[in-house]
């Protein structure tokens, strides 16, 4: 039996349970159906066949979950940091024990190739371990002594929080948000994306089995417009950690405004990778190809615009084209496959619309720009490269979120910087040069929350993760995550004898 056949057989076994009854919510330690019993169909991008029904959360379900999170908060916040650490490590152990199941289910649910998803569970477990280790010090503050007073700060968990996640790498992203919230002492209501509901249900089950008390993590399935909206409006929820599109982030800010919700938003991107002629071009090529064509290009930090110095433009775009044409498209459970199907037919429509836009705008189609002809049922596209694009084109400024790269030539440093910054987004930027001064100058001047110099996206959990401009508000990672999930309190104690202004003594 080939690895692909073995994967298919094992995935079918894991997926069986989701077909027998609608996927429930997980509220207060129990699996529950929706009020009103509404369900929706969950399909696999491989061929758009059903993987089973999912309960469609209502405002009443959100109310149940938020109330459970509010009730559990009082005791969870009092669990010692050491005990939270122990428990969250148990969750990490349980994730590792079910890593194959998580990888196979996520791959079929999202269309992401197994070669990337096989690491999804491990990365999720790493997120839990990283924040577990910091739980005991999460409340630490600063000593800020003044002449006659001692100021010191304390941190305390903000309360029950809502976590709303997208479909592109749902398991890893959910843990990246949920682990620090739990480590900080918050309780959570999670609303996963409706196009990829399955591994969120596995995470809730795993946390419960690992001993997380009832009500500490609650998961409500359903649409953004109904379940997500109700979560952002609920009075018991003190903050929303959101990952998704910029326009949804703006909507959520509005929805949360009446209840003065704190919002952390990780949004879209149109990230430039700038390649100078003096760079190590072989390494640059590897990184450019990996950062746009891995994970189906459905990646917020994908390098979807490559800005190439004019003197090497033809040579470098020819090399990208050569790689793009050799990328292996196919079934996501085939371990040799590099590009799987896009998440949903609606998303396929969005991506293919940009193929027409590119033609209408006059860009050169150097590779792809069509559906993958070998599958009639799945949401497959060919890896695509547009060349001779200008920065004013829509393909050079709008987030496409697929395996689609737009190549733009530039003249000098000023030209490169101007084009790189001339979009509404500011999530990530990549720079390839052997000139160290230029590297630091660009790192300073690029409008992006994360800059990688001579590197692809390289994850370091203590480092701040997040974007500027329309790419987001706030940062994740290390202590930055705790800043979001916690309130900082200042305590000011007089050291004795300082002069207190006297009034009303005349
Ligand atoms: P999306 O905004 O459509 O949906 C994200 C989540 O928000 C889903 O769970 C959805 O149900 C929910 N939602 C939708 N409308 C809502 C509303 N009115 N109120 C509350 N919740 C609502 O995004 P998507 O299509 O699922 O994901 C792709 C987007 O996510 C891309 O733009 C990508 O760049 C972005 N993303 C960003 C990061 C990052 O770290 N910056 C990471 C991954 C993905």
């Amino acid at each position: 039996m080939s690895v692909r056949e073995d994967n298919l057989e094992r995935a079918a076994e894991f997926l069986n349970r989701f077909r027998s009854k609608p996927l429930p919510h997980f509220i207060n330690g129990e699996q529950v159906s929706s009020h009103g019993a509404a369900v929706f169909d969950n399909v696999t991008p491989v061929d758009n066949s059903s993987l089973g029904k999912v309960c469609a959360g209502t405002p009443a379900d959100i109310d149940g979950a938020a109330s459970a999170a509010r009730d559990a908060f009082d005791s969870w916040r009092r669990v010692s940091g050491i005990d939270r650490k122990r428990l969250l490590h148990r969750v990490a152990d349980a994730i590792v024990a079910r890593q194959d199941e998580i990888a196979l289910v996520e791959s079929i649910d999202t269309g992401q190739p197994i070669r990337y998803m096989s690491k999804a569970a491990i990365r999720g477990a790493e997120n839990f371990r990283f924040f577990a280790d910091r739980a005991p010090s999460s409340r630490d503050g600063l000593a800020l002594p003044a002449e006659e007073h001692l100021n010191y700060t304390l941190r305390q968990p903000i309360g029950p929080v809502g976590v709303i996640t997208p479909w592109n790498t749902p398991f890893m992203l959910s843990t990246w948000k949920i682990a620090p919230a739990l480590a900080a002492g918050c309780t959570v209501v999670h609303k996963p994306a409706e196009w990829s509901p399955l591994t969120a249900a596995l995470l809730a089950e795993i946390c419960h089995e690992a001993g997380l008390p009832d009500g500490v993590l609650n998961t409500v399935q359903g649409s953004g417009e109904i379940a997500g909206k109700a979560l952002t409006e609920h009075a018991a929820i003190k903050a929303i950690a959101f990952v998704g599109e910029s326009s949804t982030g703006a909507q959520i800010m509005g929805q949360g405004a009446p209840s003065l919700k704190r919002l952390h938003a990780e949004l879209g991107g149109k990230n430039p990778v700038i390649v100078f002629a003096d760079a190590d071009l072989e390494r640059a090529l590897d990184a450019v190809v990996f950062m746009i064509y891995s994970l189906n290009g459905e990646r917020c930090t994908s390098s979807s615009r490559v800005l190439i110095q004019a003197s090497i433009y033809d040579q470098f775009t020819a090399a990208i084209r050569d790689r793009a044409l050799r990328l292996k498209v196919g079934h996501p459970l085939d371990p040799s496959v590099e590009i799987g199907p896009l998440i949903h037919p609606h998303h396929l429509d969005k991506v293919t619309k940009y193929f027409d836009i590119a033609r209408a705008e006059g860009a050169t189609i150097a590779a792809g720009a069509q559906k993958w002809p070998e599958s009639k049922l799945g949401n497959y596209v060919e890896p695509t490269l547009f060349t001779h694009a200008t920065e004013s084109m829509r393909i050079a400024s709008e987030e496409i979120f697929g395996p689609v790269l737009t190549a733009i030539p530039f003249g000098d440093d000023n030209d490169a910087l101007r084009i790189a910054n001339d979009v509404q987004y500011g999530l990530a930027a990549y720079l390839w040069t052997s000139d160290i001064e230029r590297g630091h100058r660009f790192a300073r001047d690029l409008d992006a929350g994360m800059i990688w110099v001579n590197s692809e996206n390289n994850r370091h959990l203590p480092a701040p993760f997040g974007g500027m401009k329309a790419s987001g508000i706030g940062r994740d990672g290390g202590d930055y995550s705790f800043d979001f999930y916690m309130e900082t309190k200042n305590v000011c104690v007089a050291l004795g004898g300082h002069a207190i202004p006297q009034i009303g003594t005349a």
Side-chain angles (χ1 to χ4, degrees):
M1 189 188 280
S2 69
V3 180
R4 175 189 160 141
E5 282 160 352
D6 183 49
N7 281 345
L8 279 167
E9 200 168 284
R10 286 188 308 138
E13 277 169 30
F14 289 131
L15 288 163
N16 245 338
R17 59 177 282 199
F18 298 116
R19 297 182 200 279
S20 55
K21 63 170 185 155
L23 184 69
H25 313 302
F26 199 87
I27 298 174
N28 207 18
E30 287 182 3
Q31 297 190 344
V32 292
S33 304
S34 295
H35 285 80
V39 294
F40 63 95
D41 204 21
N42 179 34
V43 297
T44 170
V46 170
D47 57 9
N48 292 302
S49 63
S50 176
L51 293 171
K53 303 283 183 208
V54 180
C55 290
T58 62
D61 300 315
I62 289 289
D63 186 48
S67 304
R70 183 189 52 215
D71 294 347
F73 177 63
D74 225 32
S75 46
W76 180 243
R77 69 185 303 195
R78 287 178 219 290
V79 171
S80 74
I82 295 284
D83 286 342
R84 287 203 309 279
K85 171 178 173 177
R86 211 170 283 136
L87 198 41
L88 296 183
H89 272 292
R90 275 219 298 274
V91 171
D93 294 342
I95 290 173
V96 172
R98 290 173 69 174
Q99 58 176 294
D100 283 355
E101 178 186 4
I102 293 165
L104 291 166
V105 168
E106 180 118 308
S107 196
I108 289 291
D109 203 16
T110 62
Q112 294 285 10
I114 193 69
R115 66 189 298 142
Y116 311 119
M117 285 306 100
S118 60
K119 300 180 194 87
I122 298 299
R123 292 179 65 176
E126 279 170 6
N127 290 339
F128 267 93
R129 292 200 198 290
F130 176 83
F131 287 107
D133 286 342
R134 279 157 182 76
S137 57
S138 60
R139 293 172 193 195
D140 289 359
L142 295 171
L144 301 164
E147 219 32 65
E148 295 175 309
H149 293 81
L150 172 62
N151 288 267
Y152 65 92
T153 65
L154 303 169
R155 287 198 300 195
Q156 57 194 50
I158 190 169
V161 299
V163 172
I164 301 178
T165 47
W167 43 258
N168 58 328
T169 50
F171 188 81
M172 202 289 289
L173 272 174
S174 306
T175 59
W176 180 232
K177 295 287 179 187
I178 291 171
L182 298 179
C186 295
T187 53
V188 174
V189 178
H190 178 205
K191 208 300 285 173
E194 51 271 52
W195 288 349
S196 62
L198 300 185
T199 51
L202 296 183
L203 180 63
E205 188 175 286
I206 285 169
C207 288
H208 179 67
E209 286 171 6
L212 207 65
D214 293 350
V216 172
L217 171 62
N218 308 275
T219 302
V220 179
Q221 304 285 354
S223 74
E225 292 72 17
I226 297 175
K229 181 169 184 287
L231 181 57
T232 60
E233 292 172 344
H234 201 285
I237 298 296
K238 299 301 170 205
I240 295 286
F242 169 71
V243 187
E245 283 191 20
S246 302
S247 56
T248 315
Q251 246 178 308
I252 288 177
M253 277 186 96
Q255 291 164 193
S259 54
L260 294 172
K261 292 266 186 308
R262 184 182 288 184
L263 174 68
H264 182 178
E266 298 275 6
L267 308 173
K270 189 73 178 179
N271 311 297
V273 49
I274 307 170
V275 183
F276 280 93
D278 66 0
D280 180 334
L281 294 181
E282 279 181 27
R283 287 173 65 75
L285 177 66
D286 287 343
V288 168
V289 170
F290 181 74
M291 282 312 302
I292 184 61
Y293 297 118
S294 61
L295 292 172
N296 299 344
E298 296 165 321
R299 176 187 207 146
C300 57
T301 53
S302 74
S303 55
S304 48
R305 292 184 291 155
V306 59
L307 279 46
I308 307 167
Q309 196 155 26
S311 59
I312 56 161
Y313 185 84
D314 289 342
Q315 157 204 348
F316 200 74
T317 51
I320 300 175
R321 176 177 184 276
D322 184 51
R323 289 281 191 93
L325 294 176
R326 285 194 286 150
L327 284 165
K328 185 164 178 197
V329 183
H331 194 289
L333 292 191
D334 181 335
S336 66
V337 158
E338 293 161 312
I339 298 195
L342 300 176
I343 182 77
H344 193 273
H346 291 339
H347 190 54
L348 175 71
D349 285 348
K350 172 183 163 174
V351 172
T352 52
K353 199 177 76 195
Y354 280 98
F355 299 161
D356 302 334
I357 291 170
R359 289 186 178 93
E361 287 182 319
T364 301
I365 311 292
Q370 59 177 4
K371 291 182 185 169
W372 186 53
E374 289 182 42
S375 171
K376 298 282 172 265
L377 297 175
N379 311 323
Y380 294 88
V381 294
E382 289 187 352
T384 296
L385 173 65
F386 301 133
T387 54
H388 300 102
T390 59
E391 68 262 36
S392 60
M393 292 179 179
R394 290 180 62 190
I395 54 165
S397 54
E398 296 176 13
E399 186 182 48
I400 300 174
F401 220 57
V404 181
L405 178 60
T406 301
I408 308 164
F410 70 83
D412 58 13
D413 290 34
N414 289 338
D415 204 19
L417 191 63
R418 181 184 53 74
I419 299 170
N421 286 342
D422 189 24
V423 289
Q424 61 161 330
Y425 297 107
L427 186 60
Y430 305 85
L431 180 71
W432 286 87
T433 180
S434 59
D435 180 338
I436 189 168
E437 291 174 1
R438 174 191 278 147
H440 286 295
R441 245 187 355 260
F442 270 74
R444 182 194 62 198
D445 294 338
L446 282 165
D447 294 339
M450 295 171 285
I451 315 280
W452 278 278
V453 182
N454 295 333
S455 178
E456 83 289 15
N457 169 342
N458 189 280
R459 208 166 92 109
H460 183 51
L461 298 186
F465 185 104
M468 299 178 177
K469 303 199 286 189
S471 289
I473 300 170
R475 296 291 181 269
D476 277 319
D479 210 44
Y480 300 92
S481 297
F482 286 153
D483 267 347
F484 176 71
Y485 291 116
M486 302 185 88
E487 293 282 16
T488 297
K489 188 186 271 180
N490 189 65
V491 181
C492 179
V493 183
L495 300 178
H498 73 284
I500 300 177
Q502 292 179 326
I503 58 172
T505 54

